[in-house]
Amino acid sequence: MMDITRENGRLQTVFGLPLEQRCEELIRIMNECTFKEMQMVYPLILESIFGSADHCGWGLHSIYKNQSPHEYEIIYHFLRPYGPLFHMCYRLISDNYLRYDFPVAWLPVSLRQIIEDGGVPQLYVGKIQIDPNTRTRVSVVLNPFELYMTHFATHLVDPWLQLRRPPEASEGFWDSVYIMLAEEYLSHFLPCAPGAQVRPHVPGPALAVPLVRHTPVRPADVPTIFRQSVLNQTNTPTSLHTSSVIQQNDPVDIWRSETVVQIFVDIWLSVGQTDSLQMSPIRERGLALDHIRVVRSMIKHFHYFANSFTADMSTMDELKRVILGAVQGKIFLFLQHCMQHWPLDGSFRWVLELWLSFIQPWRYTEQRHRGGIERGPLVTCDIRIWSYFVAENLPAYTAIFHQLLPRFSRLDLPLPKNSYMLYRVTKVFSQPGLSQVLSELEKSFDPSADRSGPVPKIPNKWQGLIQHQHQQPLTEFENYQPLFSEPGISKVKAFVLLVGQSIGTARLLAKEAEEHACKNLGFLSSFREFFSGSSATADIPLDERRKVVAYLDTSLQLLCSTFEIPRPDVPDVSTVTPISPIITPQDPLVSPSIRDWRQRRLIEYHGDPELQPIRSSEIAFLVKIGYQISSKLNEMYGSELAELYRRPSVVGRVMQRVLLPPQTIHSYERNTSGSRRFPVLVTQQLPPRLSLRRLGSRELVIWISVGALAFRLRGYHLLTFPVMVFIMWILLVLLRAALSSPTENRNTVSNISRHSPDLLNAPDGAPDVSP
C-alpha cells in the first residue's frame, strides 16, 4: 500500500505538469490506488479540474476544438461518461456509505440563500451539514456521482471564473470542451432512443426525493419539484404521444438520470438579484453567453427526451413523461430574469433563441435532426397537437412577449441584428394556429375571478387544466395580463407604428447607401477619399441595408396578421426623418442596467484620436506599428515639426496638410490630494504631430497590394506601384499647398495662437488641469 501523505505530494506535483502528462499520470495513479487511497484522491482531482476559491481549474471554458484540438481531445476523453474519471467514480459508488462534503458557499447565490435561511431544496433533503458551534449550514453531503456533477454544474456559474476569464475568449466559438461535455452528459444520462438505458449499469443509492416514484402510491407529504396532478395525470400528454397509466414494473435504474436533471436545473437555472446573469461593469459577458448556450442546449435536449416518449412501461419512459412538467416553472423564471437584466446589444439574440427554443417543442421531435443553431425554415405542424404544452406554459408565450415589446421599442430597429431578432419573434408567433390557441387559452383563464368561488365557464377541452390552475395557482399567473386583451392589443398597435417608422428610416438609409456606393466606384474615388481623410467603407454593407428593409416589412405584416390589426402607412423616403430610440430616466419599463448601458452608449469620445480602439476596417498590427513609429518621431522632432507647421511659407502650408492640427483633448484623472477623492477633468493640449494611422486602413492595403501585383505581372518591380503612389501623394500635397491662400493660412495660425498662445511651443503631453 502506498503512503497516503506521499501520494498527496505526488498529486500536487502531477497537477503542475503539462496537460497530456498530467492526465497520463492521473490515470496511472487511479489504477495503482487502493480503494481507501482512491477515496482521498478523488475530491482532490475534482478540485484541480474545476477549480476552487484560489484557482481556475483546467480552463474548460477556454479550450476549443478548432483552436486547440489536441488539448480538447485529451480533456474530453478524460472526462467523458466512459472515461477514466467516471470509471473511478463508479468504483467509489460501490460503498453506499461514502459521502463527501461540498461547501454551501460554492453553490449559486440564490440556492445558497435558500439553504442558509432554513430551506431545503429537494435534492439536498437529509444532506445538510450544520456546524454545531455556530448552528449554520456549512455543507451538503454528496455521494461520488453527485459530487462530480455538482462540481461540473457550479463550474459554469462560478463568479471567480467569471472574473478570471481570459480576455481572448471569443463569443464566436461554440465548441469549448465544457459545452461539448455538457451536451455529452445530457445525451448519455437522458437517452432518447426507445428502450435505451444508462450504461454501464451501476446500482446506486435511492434519491431522497426522486423525480419518478417507483411505488404505485406516492405519500402526500413527500416534497417534490413536481405538482401532484402532473405526476398523477393519466391522459395529459406533453409530447406527440398519448399515454395511458404507466405501471412501474421493471427494475431499470434511473437514479443517475434523475440526479443529473435535478443538479443541472437547480444550479444552471438558479436566478436571483446577485446571481451570475446580473450584468455589472466588471462582468465578463463571455461566460454569461456560455451559460445561455448550455441552458439552451439543456432545454432542447429536454424537448428531445420528452418527445421520445413511447409508453414502453419503463421507469425511463415515465421520466420522459414528467420531466417538462418538473422543470418548466424554473425555466420560465430564468427566462424572465434574462429578459429583465440582459443589456440591449447584439448578444441579446442568444437569450431570444433560448426563449424560442423553449416555446417550440415541435421543433425537437426527432433526434437525428439535432444540430447547432437552426438556420432552416420553421418546422410546420399542427399547433393544436401541442395545445397542452402551450396551455401549461402560457406565461412563457404571452408574459415574455409583453417584456419584449418595450425592449424592441428601445432598440435601433434599422440595424441588421435588431431587425432580424424582431423577424424571428414575429415569424414564430405567426405560425398557423398558435395565435388562435393563445387567444382561446386567455379567454378560458380569467385572472380577475375569485379563486374561492366556482371556476368560470370555459371550453371542455381546457376545463381540466384551468381547474388545476384554479386549485393550485402558479406564481406566474398571479399578476397575469392577457396579451390578446384590449390593453395588450393597444400596446402592440403602438409598437406596430414604431416598426412602420423604422421601415421608412431603413429605406432612407438603404437609399443613401446605394447612392454612396454609386458615387464611390473604382480606384480613383477610393484614392481620393483616402487622401481627403474620409472613409469609403460604409459601416453596414448595402446588401445588409436591403435585408433590414425586408425583415422589418415582413415583421410588420406578420404582427398585423397575428393580432388582426390594420397595417399602418409607411412614411415616404423623401419625408422620413431618421429616428433614434431614447430612454428616459423615469421610464419604469426599463431596468437600471439597460438604462445605464444606453446612456453610456451616448457618451462621445474626447480623448486622443490616436488612442481610439482599432476599427474593423483597420489592420491591428499595422495600426500598432504606425503608432509606435509616429510616437517616436513626434518625441524626437516634436518642436521642429511645430515650428515648421506655424511657418507662413509654402513649407508651413505643406506641413499643415501632412500633420494633424493642434487639438484639445479631455480626460479624467483620480484626485489623490485632500480628503475629497473624486475624478478631476484634465484638459491637455496636443501640438501638431505626425500620424500614420491611415496606413493601417484595410482598404488601402488591399488597393496597394492589387496594384503592386498588377505591375508585377507587367514586368515591373514589386515596389514600383507603392513608390508611384507615394510620389503622386507628394505632388498632390505640393499642388494643394501652392494653390492655397497664404493670407488664409496666416489667419488660421494666428487664430490658433490667439486662443492657445503656448500651444505650438508646448512640449508634447503637457497637461493643463482645469479648475
Side-chain angles (χ1 to χ4, degrees):
M1 177 186 295
M2 291 182 286
D3 184 74
I4 295 179
T5 304
R6 181 168 57 87
E7 189 66 20
N8 290 339
R10 180 186 175 188
L11 269 180
Q12 299 303 322
T13 303
V14 169
F15 292 154
L17 296 176
L19 180 61
E20 185 173 7
Q21 300 179 22
R22 187 190 318 161
C23 291
E24 292 176 354
E25 290 296 324
L26 286 177
I27 294 174
R28 185 177 295 110
I29 291 176
M30 294 176 187
N31 295 330
E32 294 175 356
C33 280
T34 63
F35 190 83
K36 186 173 182 179
E37 293 168 344
M38 194 183 304
Q39 295 178 12
M40 302 189 64
V41 166
Y42 182 69
L44 299 177
I45 295 177
L46 295 187
E47 290 186 15
S48 173
I49 295 173
F50 299 109
S52 59
D54 56 352
H55 67 95
C56 299
W58 290 10
L60 304 185
H61 294 287
S62 305
I63 299 178
Y64 300 95
K65 187 175 183 179
N66 292 336
Q67 289 185 335
S68 307
H70 185 62
E71 291 81 359
Y72 173 91
E73 292 296 332
I74 292 175
I75 295 182
Y76 183 82
H77 286 286
F78 187 76
L79 300 180
R80 66 193 181 105
Y82 292 104
L85 190 60
F86 269 92
H87 179 68
M88 181 182 188
C89 173
Y90 292 151
R91 289 173 61 189
L92 292 173
I93 288 177
S94 60
D95 184 356
N96 291 330
Y97 298 97
L98 178 61
R99 296 293 184 269
Y100 294 99
D101 288 338
F102 188 88
V104 172
W106 291 4
L107 294 172
V109 176
S110 59
L111 192 60
R112 181 171 72 242
Q113 191 68 37
I114 293 174
I115 296 177
E116 292 176 349
D117 291 344
V120 181
Q122 287 76 11
L123 179 64
Y124 306 114
V125 172
K127 300 179 181 180
I128 305 296
Q129 288 287 91
I130 300 177
D131 188 340
N133 298 324
T134 61
R135 305 302 298 173
T136 58
R137 304 185 172 199
V138 294
S139 63
V140 292
V141 290
L142 307 173
N143 64 45
F145 184 80
E146 293 172 338
L147 182 67
Y148 176 85
M149 284 301 168
T150 303
H151 268 292
F152 180 81
T154 55
H155 188 67
L156 181 64
V157 297
D158 189 347
W160 173 261
L161 296 178
Q162 295 164 8
L163 296 177
R164 302 278 296 189
R165 182 160 172 83
E168 65 271 10
S170 172
E171 297 182 1
F173 292 99
W174 279 77
D175 56 351
S176 71
V177 66
Y178 185 91
I179 294 178
M180 294 304 171
L181 283 173
E183 294 184 354
E184 180 67 19
Y185 294 157
L186 289 169
S187 300
H188 180 78
F189 295 109
L190 297 175
C192 298
Q197 301 178 11
V198 180
R199 299 295 183 183
H201 175 75
V202 178
L207 296 182
V209 185
L211 297 183
V212 176
R213 304 294 294 182
H214 303 285
T215 58
V217 179
R218 173 189 295 273
D221 57 346
V222 175
T224 174
I225 64 176
F226 292 95
R227 299 190 304 272
Q228 291 293 330
S229 59
V230 174
L231 291 173
N232 297 332
Q233 63 191 353
T234 59
N235 290 308
T236 53
T238 59
S239 68
L240 288 174
H241 309 279
T242 302
S243 65
S244 58
V245 178
I246 305 295
Q247 299 294 335
Q248 307 301 333
N249 55 5
D250 66 332
V252 177
D253 75 318
I254 58 169
W255 69 271
R256 282 171 293 178
S257 302
E258 294 177 303
T259 300
V260 168
V261 172
Q262 289 191 0
I263 290 178
F264 285 1
V265 169
D266 282 347
I267 294 178
W268 288 347
L269 300 184
S270 177
V271 294
Q273 294 183 353
T274 56
D275 274 358
S276 62
L277 285 174
Q278 179 74 29
M279 293 297 149
S280 63
I282 62 173
R283 167 85 174 141
E284 291 288 346
R285 192 167 313 148
L287 199 58
L289 284 179
D290 280 354
H291 192 171
I292 296 298
R293 291 167 180 169
V294 171
V295 171
R296 183 178 180 229
S297 177
M298 179 181 68
I299 291 176
K300 289 165 62 177
H301 189 82
F302 284 167
H303 281 315
Y304 282 120
F305 185 69
N307 293 334
S308 63
F309 174 77
T310 57
D312 61 359
M313 305 300 176
S314 66
T315 51
M316 184 66 74
D317 214 50
E318 175 68 1
L319 179 60
K320 294 177 182 180
R321 185 177 70 86
V322 301
I323 186 171
L324 285 180
V327 302
Q328 60 195 17
K330 290 191 175 183
I331 293 176
F332 173 75
L333 295 177
F334 182 83
L335 289 171
Q336 269 195 324
H337 184 81
C338 293
M339 295 291 178
Q340 179 69 18
H341 295 285
W342 202 274
L344 281 172
D345 58 10
S347 65
F348 180 68
R349 64 191 179 100
W350 301 115
V351 179
L352 202 66
E353 292 295 338
L354 168 64
W355 171 55
L356 295 179
S357 295
F358 175 61
I359 65 175
Q360 297 183 90
W362 47 85
R363 302 201 66 180
Y364 312 105
T365 57
E366 297 186 35
Q367 183 76 2
R368 65 176 183 273
H369 292 159
R370 296 194 65 171
I373 299 178
E374 292 81 3
R375 302 186 182 275
L378 288 177
V379 177
T380 58
C381 66
D382 186 2
I383 301 297
R384 294 191 175 270
I385 299 178
W386 302 87
S387 295
Y388 189 84
F389 176 87
V390 177
E392 270 205 325
N393 296 276
L394 180 62
Y397 292 86
T398 55
I400 299 296
F401 193 89
H402 272 299
Q403 282 187 279
L404 282 177
L405 284 181
R407 266 187 164 267
F408 277 117
S409 300
R410 286 151 182 82
L411 283 176
D412 193 1
L413 292 179
L415 290 179
K417 289 183 178 180
N418 298 338
S419 62
Y420 182 71
M421 286 193 292
L422 177 61
Y423 170 76
R424 288 278 293 122
V425 174
T426 56
K427 189 70 173 175
V428 169
F429 273 78
S430 66
Q431 295 179 82
L434 180 58
S435 59
Q436 289 81 359
V437 170
L438 294 175
S439 178
E440 186 177 346
L441 281 168
E442 288 190 327
K443 292 177 182 177
S444 302
F445 178 75
D446 184 7
S448 62
D450 184 8
R451 295 185 183 274
S452 61
V455 179
K457 184 177 180 181
I458 54 177
N460 291 333
K461 56 184 173 181
W462 303 123
Q463 190 168 1
L465 177 64
I466 304 303
Q467 177 74 28
H468 164 69
Q469 302 290 4
H470 183 78
Q471 293 177 350
Q472 297 180 349
L474 294 176
T475 303
E476 57 263 29
F477 273 100
E478 300 206 350
N479 297 317
Y480 181 75
Q481 297 180 353
L483 177 62
F484 289 87
S485 62
E486 185 175 349
I489 297 295
S490 299
K491 293 180 181 180
V492 177
K493 287 182 179 179
F495 178 70
V496 164
L497 293 177
L498 177 63
V499 176
Q501 297 177 10
S502 300
I503 293 176
T505 303
R507 289 177 179 174
L508 177 62
L509 295 175
K511 182 179 179 181
E512 292 178 353
E514 187 174 358
E515 293 175 352
H516 183 80
C518 295
K519 291 179 181 179
N520 297 281
L521 296 176
F523 170 74
L524 293 179
S525 60
S526 302
F527 185 80
R528 180 179 66 255
E529 287 203 0
F530 169 75
F531 290 115
S532 64
S534 60
S535 174
T537 303
D539 294 336
I540 301 177
L542 178 59
D543 293 341
E544 293 294 326
R545 289 292 186 191
R546 291 171 177 169
K547 288 182 180 179
V548 167
V549 177
Y551 285 145
L552 292 179
D553 190 70
T554 306
S555 300
L556 180 63
Q557 179 180 354
L558 295 177
L559 280 172
C560 294
S561 62
T562 301
F563 293 92
E564 298 180 353
I565 56 180
R567 179 185 174 98
D569 295 331
V570 177
D572 187 70
V573 177
S574 59
T575 60
V576 71
T577 301
I579 59 174
S580 177
I582 299 298
I583 292 180
T584 59
Q586 297 81 13
D587 195 339
L589 297 177
V590 183
S591 65
S593 60
I594 297 176
R595 188 182 304 115
D596 295 342
W597 178 85
R598 288 292 300 180
Q599 291 175 353
R600 290 196 301 269
R601 188 183 176 191
L602 299 177
I603 296 177
E604 296 182 0
Y605 180 77
H606 296 284
D608 190 349
E610 291 294 288
L611 299 179
Q612 291 187 32
I614 298 175
R615 302 177 178 88
S616 59
S617 60
E618 296 175 327
I619 301 177
F621 79 93
L622 289 180
V623 173
K624 294 177 182 178
I625 293 176
Y627 176 75
Q628 294 176 359
I629 295 175
S630 60
S631 299
K632 188 64 176 180
L633 293 176
N634 290 329
E635 180 182 354
M636 296 173 59
Y637 307 106
S639 57
E640 289 83 354
L641 293 176
E643 179 64 27
L644 293 174
Y645 186 90
R646 60 188 299 192
R647 285 188 182 181
S649 60
V650 176
V651 176
R653 295 197 292 273
V654 170
M655 298 303 294
Q656 291 169 22
R657 283 157 179 80
V658 174
L659 303 177
L660 290 179
Q663 184 178 2
T664 302
I665 63 173
H666 306 278
S667 61
Y668 284 93
E669 292 185 359
R670 185 179 297 277
N671 180 22
T672 57
S673 60
S675 58
R676 300 178 61 187
R677 299 174 180 267
F678 51 87
V680 177
L681 179 64
V682 177
T683 301
Q684 184 177 356
Q685 307 291 349
L686 297 181
R689 60 213 181 275
L690 178 65
S691 175
L692 301 178
R693 180 154 185 163
R694 294 182 185 175
L695 298 179
S697 171
R698 191 182 304 275
E699 184 179 1
L700 176 68
V701 173
I702 292 176
W703 279 117
I704 291 181
S705 302
V706 172
L709 181 59
F711 270 63
R712 179 58 181 159
L713 294 177
R714 291 181 174 271
Y716 296 96
H717 193 273
L718 197 62
L719 297 179
T720 302
F721 182 75
V723 172
M724 288 183 58
V725 172
F726 182 69
I727 294 175
M728 291 175 61
W729 175 72
I730 293 178
L731 294 177
L732 180 62
V733 171
L734 292 176
L735 180 62
R736 295 181 62 183
L739 296 178
S740 62
S741 171
T743 305
E744 178 183 352
N745 179 65
R746 281 196 300 271
N747 292 337
T748 302
V749 176
S750 63
N751 289 336
I752 296 175
S753 301
R754 182 170 62 254
H755 290 289
S756 301
D758 298 329
L759 176 59
L760 299 179
N761 296 326
D764 188 12
D768 176 29
V769 180
S770 302

